[in-house]
Amino acid sequence: MTAQDFDVICRLLREQSGISLEAGKEYLVETRLAPVLYDLKLASIGELIGQLRSHNGLELSRQIVESLVTCETSFFRDTIPFEELQQSVIPDLINRRRAQRRLNIWCAASSTGQEPYSLALLFRERFPELAGWTLTLLASDISRPLLLRARAGLYNQVEAARGLPVPLRAKYFEQQGTDWQLGQTICRMVDFREINLASMWPALPQMDLILVRNVMIYFEVETKKSILAKLARLLTPDGYLLLGGSETTFNLSDAFRRVSSLRSGFYQVSS
């Protein structure tokens, strides 16, 4: 891959998804695009770019972007945020919404679905009082293949072992060969939709809890600012925004304040 080829791919990724790749990520691009080259029977990324310019550009550009999107995730990832959700955040929201009996939650950049399914399992196991509530659990991603995998709720041995307690796997999953199938009772709790965070969002309800974890780090500063501004308008005044451990709103948005009583990156709209 030439330096010019790399620049073309980086520009395409930035324009289509808002994700910025810095110099030194050439190996990542080559590795992620190798299956695309194989499927299209192309010998190089230069040939791929030629195909992109000649015909079927829209669908091919989508395929390229989806191949480059990071999809690292696991059940109950990082542990502490889920402990705080269980012990503090969700009980607080239940108390505040007791009259309405409604909660709206959004997991953005949900990849193959482990994060929203972890929330669904948490609700089912720890908060039985929500059974009579209207619970909207939206999960979104830019990648159609990842969304298809997430909706299927089928995980291999490694995925099913990462972060998922054995008792929960035994209770809610069924083994199919070497894979594990999540039961439909939990799958049906999550609504998976295609949303590009860096582009225009569809109409969404006011959210009580929004998880945008470990994705903002891939965006340029202006894209981060734009996303945070939209999140501030979408989040209820007493709702919670959860970012990844290395992410912050500092120097990006004055609309949020960090919840200092919680160890993880929880934020609320500034009053």
Side-chain angles (χ1 to χ4, degrees):
M1 179 174 61
T2 67
Q4 185 178 8
D5 292 340
F6 181 68
D7 289 342
V8 171
I9 296 297
C10 288
R11 186 167 60 252
L12 172 66
L13 182 64
R14 186 169 56 251
E15 291 173 352
Q16 296 290 325
S17 71
I19 295 173
S20 180
L21 281 182
E22 67 273 14
K25 296 292 186 179
E26 289 85 353
Y27 175 76
L28 173 69
V29 170
E30 291 176 333
T31 302
R32 294 281 180 86
L33 291 183
V36 178
L37 297 179
Y38 180 82
D39 290 342
L40 297 177
K41 297 180 174 56
L42 299 176
S44 68
I45 291 177
E47 287 188 20
L48 179 65
I49 292 172
Q51 290 274 330
L52 187 64
R53 289 169 172 165
S54 63
H55 65 280
N56 198 26
L58 184 61
E59 186 57 36
L60 185 54
S61 65
R62 169 182 287 280
Q63 190 176 358
I64 292 171
V65 169
E66 289 177 344
S67 298
L68 294 171
V69 171
T70 300
C71 56
E72 173 66 20
T73 188
S74 63
F75 287 99
F76 299 97
R77 185 177 182 182
D78 301 330
T79 306
I80 291 176
F82 282 92
E83 289 179 356
E84 293 180 323
L85 283 166
Q86 177 182 331
Q87 297 167 8
S88 301
V89 173
I90 296 172
D92 181 54
L93 289 173
I94 289 175
N95 184 57
R96 293 173 183 272
R97 302 293 184 270
R98 202 170 296 280
Q100 300 95 326
R101 296 172 64 82
R102 173 187 292 273
L103 280 177
N104 294 328
I105 299 159
W106 179 21
C107 292
S110 60
S111 187
T112 45
Q114 285 93 320
E115 181 176 85
Y117 285 143
S118 295
L119 278 176
L121 290 167
L122 181 63
F123 293 139
R124 182 56 61 95
E125 282 287 294
R126 302 299 182 184
F127 300 98
E129 64 267 41
L130 291 177
W133 288 40
T134 300
L135 179 64
T136 300
L137 181 46
L138 170 68
S140 69
D141 203 273
I142 190 177
S143 169
R144 290 178 181 176
L146 292 180
L147 288 169
L148 286 173
R149 283 204 58 207
R151 291 188 185 104
L154 184 66
Y155 298 98
N156 62 35
Q157 290 276 18
V158 174
E159 293 166 334
R162 289 187 65 195
L164 182 64
V166 173
L168 289 185
R169 188 177 66 184
K171 185 174 181 179
Y172 292 101
F173 288 75
E174 179 180 341
Q175 191 163 12
Q176 295 186 355
T178 59
D179 295 333
W180 291 85
Q181 175 64 60
L182 180 59
Q184 287 304 301
T185 301
I186 301 299
C187 288
R188 284 194 292 265
M189 292 178 65
V190 184
D191 175 23
F192 288 98
R193 297 174 61 182
E194 181 184 342
I195 298 177
N196 183 344
L197 291 176
S199 186
M200 184 176 296
W201 298 356
L204 297 171
Q206 288 290 109
M207 294 291 172
D208 303 297
L209 172 63
I210 304 176
L211 293 81
V212 190
R213 302 176 65 206
N214 308 302
V215 64
M216 298 281 279
I217 53 175
Y218 298 107
F219 295 132
E220 294 180 325
V221 169
E222 291 307 312
T223 304
K224 293 178 183 179
K225 289 181 177 179
S226 174
I227 291 171
L228 286 170
K230 290 191 284 188
L231 289 172
R233 293 191 293 269
L234 189 62
L235 190 66
T236 56
D238 57 354
Y240 292 85
L241 168 67
L242 175 59
L243 300 180
S246 62
E247 298 168 325
T248 179
T249 63
F250 184 68
N251 283 339
L252 296 171
S253 172
D254 295 328
F256 292 98
R257 60 174 179 84
R258 178 149 184 169
V259 182
S260 58
S261 61
L262 299 175
R263 291 171 292 170
S264 298
F266 284 95
Y267 295 81
Q268 290 186 305
V269 177
S270 301
S271 55

